[in-house]
Amino acid sequence: MAIQRLASARPQANVDTGMVTFSDSYLVSVIATNISPSATPIPRVAIYIVPSGASTEGSYVYLSNNLDLTYGTSFETFRFAVNPGDGLFVRSSQPTVSFSAYGLLQDDAIGQGDLPLTFTNKVIRGVNNTLYLDVGATADRRPDAEVGYVRFNTEYSALEVLTGEEWELVGTGTGDGATGPTGPTGPIGDTGPTGPEVTGPTGPTGPTGPSGGPTGPTGATGPTGPGGGAIDVANTTDTTTFVGLYEDASGTIGGKTNSGITYNASTEVLAVTAVETGSINAPSSLTGTYTLTSPTTITLDPVDEIINDAPMKLVSKTVLELSTLVASTGSIVFCTNETGGATLAFYDGSDWRRVTDRAVVQ
């Protein structure tokens, strides 16, 4: 902790003046200076401590008493210790003496141990020397930490170092060093020779059994059923009627209206004229992009609003591509190389314009 000026005073003649009452322990000294413009009269000064709780003058601690302070001189007391509650008092026989008190705070919480130290020799000697790093959870990381800052993360029980914008673990907490990068995969070895194929001998053929009785006459062919290969449910009155589709069959299955359902077993494609449902969900096992395709324009026509639960990505076009892009009035794209930087652009029926200031993109 740096030295501090604790108080200053220029008391009237023969007036005991309290300079400071200490709230902490300090190491203190007092400087007294004769600022008189003449050599006479010579002031005499007293500097003393009234200990905390002292009730009589006999308990006071004097550093000087009736000390002559001649013209143009000053002196500083020995450094002395004070405790919380002690009071520092001064007195002069003339009003021409300036007093100032300086001190060092005696507090283990604010001392040399809290000062940043740089070891220029890069060596810490002694068997009892131990470094205590910053310790805490991930949320306790200091926002003012610089690159190279090392701390101990209690969540991982490991050291971590700030390498840039990221903290990286440098140990597992079990005494082993950090795992190095995985080396490249070696080449695939040669394929071993194919073993010999051994076919066992064919067993003898058993004797043919006796023939059965004579074949009976062929019966008459029955009439062809209605529908010619289709299941017609147009005239049913049963609202629970349903049709099962199997992968070993394909064709048109007539619905209860003029619309139909077509299932192609070879391509596993089911085609319907219209679908009415509260929601359409992709399979939970699907990864990648869920795609809706159409050979013509896709129109979203809700009664109320369209809500997106994720960011919507517009098609990206360059300025050159916009010059030949056929679009309808009101179309919006993301222009990637506009002069002022990438921006949204809309088509007003004749030009593509920036949404920020309506200037034509260029």
Side-chain angles (χ1 to χ4, degrees), residues 134-138 140 151-158 160:
D134 183 18
V135 177
T138 300
D140 300 328
R151 65 189 300 274
F152 184 82
N153 192 312
T154 56
E155 293 181 22
Y156 302 105
S157 295
E160 60 182 1

Side-chain angles (χ1 to χ4, degrees), residues 165-213:
E165 297 181 357
E166 300 292 336
W167 289 87
E168 295 186 10
L169 296 179
V170 296
T172 62
T174 60
D176 297 328
T179 302
T182 302
T185 302
I188 299 175
D190 298 332
T191 302
T194 302
E197 296 183 3
V198 179
T199 303
T202 302
T205 303
T208 302
S211 299

Side-chain angles (χ1 to χ4, degrees), residues 84-107:
D86 291 353
L88 173 62
F89 287 80
V90 295
R91 183 179 65 247
S92 173
S93 62
Q94 300 296 328
T96 57
V97 178
S98 172
F99 296 90
S100 57
Y102 299 85
L104 288 170
L105 181 62
Q106 302 299 292
D107 189 344

